[in-house]
Amino acid sequence: MKKRLALLMALVMMFSLCCFSAPAAFADDEVTLTLWSIATESDSSHQAFVDGIAAFEAEHPGVKIEHVTTENEAYKTKIKAAMSSGEGLPDIFFTWGMGFLGEFVNAGRVYCVDDDYANYADELPEAMTVNVRYDGKMYGVPYTMSLVTLYANMDLLAQVGYDDIPATYEDMIDCCEALKAAGIIPFGVSGKELWCLSEYVEPLVIKSVGGQALRDMYNGEASWNNEGVVKAIEAFEGMVENEYFDPSAAALGNDEVKNNFIAGKYAFYQNGSWNNKDIGEQAQFNVKAGTFPVLDDSIPLYSMIGGPNNTLAVTESSQNKELAVEAAFFLAKFMSDADYKSGANLPCWAADPDAEVNDLIQAAADMASKAEDMVLFGDNFLSADAANTYLDYIGLAYAGDVTPTEYVEGLDADLG
Amino acid sequence: MNKPFRYKVNIFLFLLPALLLFVGVLIAPIIMSTVYSFTEWNGFTTPEFIGFKNYVELFTSRSINIQRALKNAFLLAILSCCIQLPFALWLALRLSRPIKGKTAFLSIFFLPVLISTVVIGQLWLKIYNPDYGVLNVFLRSIGLDNLTRIWLGDKKTALGAAFVPILWQYVGYHMLLMYAGIKGVPVELTEAAMLDGCTQAQVSRYIIIPYIRPILRVSVIFAITGSLKSFDLIYVLTNGGPNHATEVPSTLMISMLFLRNRYGMGSTIAVMLIILCFAFALLINMLFKEEK
């Protein structure tokens, strides 16, 4: 009896082993790629990612893309920790260009896609790849570009007699005074999130010193101690002192500020063009997208802060590099088109000229086409340490803790 | 094998899992952090040995400004000892007397300890909101508009505003520790004192408080080391801002590690925190011993 029972148990065990191993045998034919991104369900690009993945899977039977999303700030920590250890890295990951991706490239964690780019060069202009090139080699596939955009509530501006965004700096100041007198807060900004302050400071700086000078400062090839930078910081601190910004700004996060603008609390909101979709769809007033006027008349109006920065890259550790690279290019192209058509952001890839897009994205596209110079956001351009020091100084300027001269001298001393 | 030796082997074998856990979870990370604190490392490349440079930079760099973070942490420790602990002791003494609804009071005061810190942080963020927050709304409703502030956004008020929830959250914790200590005081002692004509305050002052001194010592150690290590509520409420006004060593450490990719400097701050916590724990033990 005992022998029979033992035999029965052995058969049961063998059967269960077969049951569990059978799907694994079938699974050998299926390849799963892992993709990490910040496109959580509330992100304006989420649906485009979902559709892009479905389209790639449909074109590549037996290939599955597992999309793991993490909220923006948490994502930065997650990807840095994974890159640091080199363990558990995905095949494809979302990244920003320049300094952020640069540290991963220097660590040898990112696969060079330079050779593969030749197949897509007709559709992805080389100018769009400048922020993902290190020593001339391309390490990521950009899909959308962003510009700092000045959103204006035209209904509020109309109340103080303006039917367009002020074209000169003096006009802008007059407009702000008129708004203040009418009890309207001119600008919404989050003082809690320093990068939001940089969306005001950087346009002032580029429109005072020009794109090349700003790029040289970021690259450490020119001193920050420049008359134009001092003038820009004076203008910024003047805007704070004159209470052109929401007095509650220091306690508000960017989402709260954006919602306040959408709710009609501010006349202007200056932030990245990735807000086009939310503002365009939710604002119940006449909204216009434009750019801040120049501080120095010799600088072209369309000297813009921004550029191609949303990127997909492939890890060096991927077991399916060829497939991952193909998926990265496919998804980047798909995302570029989908985000443009949905109004989420500007495309890096050749766009469909007949596509019907909303007014805000059209305005952003017009600005991009007129742009005479474009410099990436400072906190993307610089390495992590330098970027945070740089943002600290912007925070100090906002709080009035440094004079414009101390600001430029401090940046020279701390950024080298 | 002789018996005493076998006995020792058994003891060693039984202690081994705990020892491995202790070394793996506590000692090894401290050693690793100490090693990294002597390196320049961005987390990706090979760490480069730089000796004491991180320690020198930590105490001399204007942009890191560890002095401000330490000052804030010490201020929190002083407030914990001067406000939180006396209040917790007062509550424990009151609740140790026969009063109606004692269990309900104990539960209510202990409730903040049980709630997630993130939830508490969100709750206080709403209280402090400059537009619709209860605090400003209340001040406006009683005509004190001039006292309304951007509590967490103004450098002058942010630190105090961030400390209030921290002190509030752990009052219940210390109260419960002290309450348990008071319940251990022999009834004969307090009854004898009462028979001799002592007032309730005198019983507390001369019998209960000296009796629960070991508990008070533990509370002081927890309050001070907890203040030095404070992180979660500050992170949720202000994340060290505005302009680093509420920075404490732990938020500075996180910023160095995860924002600036300076793993060497982050480890230096971690080592400094470990040394400070040990030093204060020893100092407090010595002070309590001297009094004994």
Side-chain angles (χ1 to χ4, degrees), chain B residues 198-214:
Chain B
C198 283
T199 61
Q200 195 70 53
Q202 285 169 324
V203 170
S204 298
R205 167 72 183 84
Y206 296 106
I207 296 175
I208 296 176
I209 293 177
Y211 199 90
I212 63 164
R213 185 171 287 163

Side-chain angles (χ1 to χ4, degrees), chain B residues 74 77 81 213-229 272-290:
Chain B
F74 286 133
C81 291
R213 185 171 287 163
I215 301 286
L216 293 178
R217 185 188 62 193
V218 170
S219 275
V220 172
I221 290 175
F222 281 172
I224 291 180
T225 55
S227 301
L228 292 173
K229 295 185 296 182
M272 185 203 69
L273 269 179
I274 292 164
I275 294 170
L276 274 177
C277 287
F278 270 117
F280 271 98
L282 288 173
L283 184 73
I284 295 158
N285 270 328
M286 277 169 59
L287 286 174
F288 272 81
K289 263 184 194 167
E290 274 174 19

Side-chain angles (χ1 to χ4, degrees), chain B residues 63-217:
Chain B
S63 75
I64 295 175
N65 205 344
I66 187 73
Q67 290 82 355
R68 176 178 46 202
L70 283 174
K71 195 180 87 186
N72 290 345
F74 286 133
L75 182 63
L76 179 59
I78 291 166
L79 290 175
S80 294
C81 291
C82 298
I83 296 174
Q84 188 184 47
L85 295 187
F87 186 58
L89 180 63
W90 180 77
L91 282 177
L93 287 168
R94 291 289 300 165
L95 292 175
S96 63
R97 291 176 207 159
I99 56 163
K100 223 178 175 183
K102 183 193 288 189
T103 319
F105 281 122
L106 278 172
S107 305
I108 289 166
F109 289 125
F110 193 65
L111 198 63
V113 184
L114 301 176
I115 302 173
S116 151
T117 305
V118 179
V119 174
I120 288 181
Q122 288 299 326
L123 179 88
W124 282 87
L125 276 174
K126 300 288 176 287
I127 291 173
Y128 286 136
N129 186 289
D131 295 329
Y132 57 80
V134 174
L135 188 54
N136 276 358
V137 168
F138 171 72
L139 288 170
R140 281 188 208 113
S141 70
I142 57 169
L144 294 173
D145 294 52
N146 57 328
L147 289 184
T148 58
R149 297 279 184 280
I150 304 163
W151 299 100
L152 293 169
D154 187 337
K155 279 191 298 180
K156 291 174 194 148
T157 54
L159 192 65
F163 282 173
V164 169
I166 300 174
L167 298 174
W168 168 79
Q169 187 184 10
Y170 288 105
V171 161
Y173 177 74
H174 293 291
M175 176 207 71
L176 209 65
L177 278 180
M178 292 168 188
Y179 178 80
I182 294 169
K183 283 291 156 191
V185 177
V187 185
E188 313 87 74
L189 282 181
T190 50
E191 280 182 353
M194 299 289 261
L195 284 173
D196 287 343
C198 283
T199 61
Q200 195 70 53
Q202 285 169 324
V203 170
S204 298
R205 167 72 183 84
Y206 296 106
I207 296 175
I208 296 176
I209 293 177
Y211 199 90
I212 63 164
R213 185 171 287 163
I215 301 286
L216 293 178
R217 185 188 62 193

Side-chain angles (χ1 to χ4, degrees), chain A residues 77 80-81 83-84 103-104 106-107 109 192 247-248 250-251 256 265 384-385 388-389 392 395-396 399 401 414, chain B residues 41-45 63 125 129-132 150 152-155 236-238 243-244 258-263:
Chain A
T77 308
K80 282 179 188 175
M83 284 287 175
S84 170
E103 286 178 311
F104 307 151
N106 289 338
R109 301 267 191 246
K192 204 174 171 183
S248 304
E256 290 170 285
K265 190 176 172 183
D385 191 25
N388 279 282
T389 304
D392 275 349
L396 289 172
D401 285 351
D414 288 346
Chain B
W41 184 39
N42 66 3
F44 310 115
T45 49
S63 75
L125 276 174
N129 186 289
D131 295 329
Y132 57 80
I150 304 163
L152 293 169
D154 187 337
K155 279 191 298 180
V236 175
L237 290 169
T238 62
N243 282 314
H244 304 285
F258 299 115
L259 283 180
R260 292 175 177 258
N261 296 351
R262 295 196 63 185
Y263 284 73

Side-chain angles (χ1 to χ4, degrees), chain A residues 208-288:
Chain A
S208 178
V209 300
Q212 191 53 48
L214 180 58
R215 206 174 287 113
D216 288 346
M217 289 174 212
Y218 285 147
N219 281 325
E221 291 162 2
S223 165
W224 286 91
N225 204 341
N226 173 313
E227 205 179 304
V229 181
V230 172
K231 192 175 165 187
I233 301 303
E234 268 171 7
F236 176 66
E237 293 193 350
M239 288 167 74
V240 180
E241 276 170 30
N242 292 323
E243 296 178 344
Y244 294 164
F245 292 110
D246 184 348
S248 304
L252 301 177
N254 184 48
D255 285 347
E256 290 170 285
V257 174
K258 184 166 78 175
N259 289 335
N260 282 344
F261 175 74
I262 289 170
K265 190 176 172 183
Y266 314 126
F268 299 105
Y269 170 62
Q270 187 157 273
N271 206 278
S273 54
W274 54 81
N275 294 293
N276 281 332
K277 193 178 178 192
D278 289 344
I279 292 174
E281 286 177 359
Q282 295 171 35
Q284 298 296 311
F285 49 82
N286 183 17
V287 60
K288 190 169 181 181

